[in-house]
Amino acid sequence: MAPKSSSRKVKPSQSPRASVFKFLKNPKVAFAVALIFMDALLVALIIAYVPYTKIDWDAYMSQVTGFLEGERDYSNLKGDTGPLVYPAGFLYVYSAIQYVTGGDVYPAQILFGILYIINLSIILFIYVKTDELPWWALILLCLSKRVHSIFVLRLFNDCFAMTLLHAALALLLCQHWHLGLILFSGAVSIKMNVLLYAPSLFLLMLKAMDVTGVIVALSGAALVQILLGLPFLASYPIAYISRAFNLGRVFIHFWSVNFKFIPEPFFVSKQFAVSLLLAHLGLLAAFAHYRWCKHEGGLFKFLHSKVISIRRPSAITSSSGSSFKILKEERTSIAYHIFCGKLLSLHGYV
């Protein structure tokens, strides 16, 4: 006797071409394109008429010059603002910028203006892809005085780090996890504070992949760091690791954004740093348990299911399959997890 066919219809998955066509049919896409062109004009006007803010550019160029002259000891790479404290990707990026611009500010501003438009385009793609905001709210992405200043008036390395991070987030939204992790690692190689997104990203990886897939993806990200840092790891490994990934660095009170109301002696104390770290970890754990893993019954139940899947491989299909279904149903889950992972940080930009 032939088995009964299930009355439940399985919805066929869309082809990539159909997905792209559906995305382009969204009326927000045309509005986003118009915003990009208008903001490009605004960036050109800022470069032409607003004076450049001299902060880190000369220091960057001094550090890059030392690297290009053959220096591989990180403790000897210094600039006007002090020693180099960024990973090796920073040196490669700014070496290329120095080659293209000759170290001059004006052509560098044009280059960073183009980078700003690329970054804005990626962010608009993320918001249109998640389709959770009204069309008019996209305008707010173009109105930040601080973001324009960081890109075209200060030329900070945050610009390249965050552009790579947003590109990684866009890839994750399209379920390209391994390539997204490679770009994420590239962003970390330019500025270490991108690691603040790592806890929420790791949780998402556990939801979307089995443990083997997570290990493979993390291995690819680690390989990026090793390859980029190889010239320094092969010659002065301790100097490179201690300077480029210094977790105990004390921030200068004068440049604080969020904690200027705190007296400087307490601001630079180890007690304040430890209290911020504990508060950060506590908030991450609370959000992971009550919000990010709500569909799985909480953080501990979710992690327990992953441990069981390692011991009993037959459980992988059911546990990871349901988590992946939840990720597909919640279109904003990936963006929400990662953006909240950064917003919950109390010690990133102190």
Side-chain angles (χ1 to χ4, degrees), residues 54-60 62-63 78-83:
K54 182 179 178 181
I55 297 181
D56 284 342
W57 176 257
D58 291 341
Y60 290 169
S62 297
Q63 293 160 356
K78 301 178 181 179
D80 297 342
T81 58

Side-chain angles (χ1 to χ4, degrees), residues 106-176:
Y106 181 68
Q109 286 183 282
I110 297 175
L111 181 64
F112 274 78
I114 296 172
L115 181 66
Y116 171 86
I117 296 302
I118 294 173
N119 181 61
L120 176 64
S121 302
I122 296 171
I123 295 174
L124 285 168
F125 168 81
I126 292 170
Y127 278 100
V128 174
K129 177 77 173 176
T130 55
D131 202 21
E132 292 295 323
L133 290 179
W135 64 269
W136 57 265
L138 299 178
I139 301 174
L140 301 176
L141 297 172
C142 306
L143 299 181
S144 172
K145 178 182 177 182
R146 180 171 176 80
V147 174
H148 284 93
S149 175
I150 286 174
F151 270 85
V152 297
L153 297 180
R154 304 188 180 191
L155 314 180
F156 286 165
N157 61 335
D158 303 73
C159 306
F160 283 92
M162 298 311 296
T163 300
L164 281 178
L165 174 71
H166 292 145
L169 178 54
L171 286 170
L172 298 183
L173 283 171
C174 299
Q175 306 298 330
H176 298 297

Side-chain angles (χ1 to χ4, degrees), residues 44-349:
L45 293 173
I46 292 172
I47 294 174
Y49 295 105
V50 180
Y52 159 73
T53 306
K54 182 179 178 181
I55 297 181
D56 284 342
W57 176 257
D58 291 341
Y60 290 169
M61 292 299 101
S62 297
Q63 293 160 356
V64 162
T65 299
F67 166 65
L68 293 176
E69 289 176 353
E71 182 60 68
R72 296 297 179 265
D73 186 350
Y74 244 61
S75 59
N76 293 331
L77 293 173
K78 301 178 181 179
D80 297 342
T81 58
L84 176 60
V85 294
Y86 306 122
F90 161 83
L91 288 173
Y92 301 134
V93 168
Y94 276 84
S95 294
I97 294 173
Q98 188 187 73
Y99 176 79
V100 172
T101 65
D104 296 331
V105 170
Y106 181 68
Q109 286 183 282
I110 297 175
L111 181 64
F112 274 78
I114 296 172
L115 181 66
Y116 171 86
I117 296 302
I118 294 173
N119 181 61
L120 176 64
S121 302
I122 296 171
I123 295 174
L124 285 168
F125 168 81
I126 292 170
Y127 278 100
V128 174
K129 177 77 173 176
T130 55
D131 202 21
E132 292 295 323
L133 290 179
W135 64 269
W136 57 265
L138 299 178
I139 301 174
L140 301 176
L141 297 172
C142 306
L143 299 181
S144 172
K145 178 182 177 182
R146 180 171 176 80
V147 174
H148 284 93
S149 175
I150 286 174
F151 270 85
V152 297
L153 297 180
R154 304 188 180 191
L155 314 180
F156 286 165
N157 61 335
D158 303 73
C159 306
F160 283 92
M162 298 311 296
T163 300
L164 281 178
L165 174 71
H166 292 145
L169 178 54
L171 286 170
L172 298 183
L173 283 171
C174 299
Q175 306 298 330
H176 298 297
W177 292 91
H178 295 277
L179 183 56
L181 259 291
I182 288 174
L183 286 188
F184 179 84
S185 185
V188 172
S189 76
I190 297 173
K191 193 163 187 179
M192 193 183 64
N193 68 342
V194 175
L195 282 174
L196 294 169
Y197 294 85
S200 51
L201 175 57
F202 180 68
L203 192 60
L204 278 169
M205 291 169 61
L206 287 175
K207 285 188 174 190
M209 297 183 282
D210 57 33
V211 175
T212 302
V214 172
I215 293 174
V216 172
L218 291 177
S219 299
L223 183 61
V224 171
Q225 295 298 321
I226 293 172
L227 292 176
L228 291 175
L230 193 58
F232 310 98
L233 292 171
S235 50
Y236 299 94
I238 296 177
Y240 175 68
I241 295 173
S242 62
R243 290 296 181 94
F245 300 97
N246 183 4
L247 297 176
R249 210 173 81 200
V250 178
F251 289 87
I252 300 173
H253 183 260
F254 177 79
W255 296 111
S256 172
V257 176
N258 300 318
F259 295 107
K260 272 213 173 128
F261 63 92
I262 293 176
E264 184 173 1
F266 182 66
F267 177 86
V268 298
S269 68
K270 185 169 288 187
Q271 292 86 346
F272 182 60
V274 171
S275 64
L276 284 179
L277 178 60
L278 292 176
H280 176 53
L281 294 176
L283 285 171
L284 280 175
F287 264 72
H289 183 73
Y290 294 105
R291 179 65 180 178
W292 297 338
C293 295
K294 181 174 66 174
H295 293 281
E296 293 83 5
L299 176 63
F300 302 107
K301 188 175 180 180
F302 170 68
L303 294 178
H304 180 67
S305 68
K306 284 297 175 180
V307 173
I308 292 176
S309 71
I310 297 174
R311 294 177 179 175
R312 294 185 296 175
S314 59
I316 291 177
T317 304
S318 60
S319 63
S320 62
S322 60
S323 295
F324 186 75
K325 183 180 179 183
I326 290 170
L327 277 178
K328 295 242 352 175
E329 289 174 353
E330 294 183 0
R331 292 175 297 176
T332 60
S333 179
I334 295 174
Y336 177 83
H337 276 55
I338 296 181
F339 279 135
C340 282
K342 172 64 174 175
L343 291 173
L344 284 173
S345 170
L346 299 177
H347 57 287
Y349 283 105

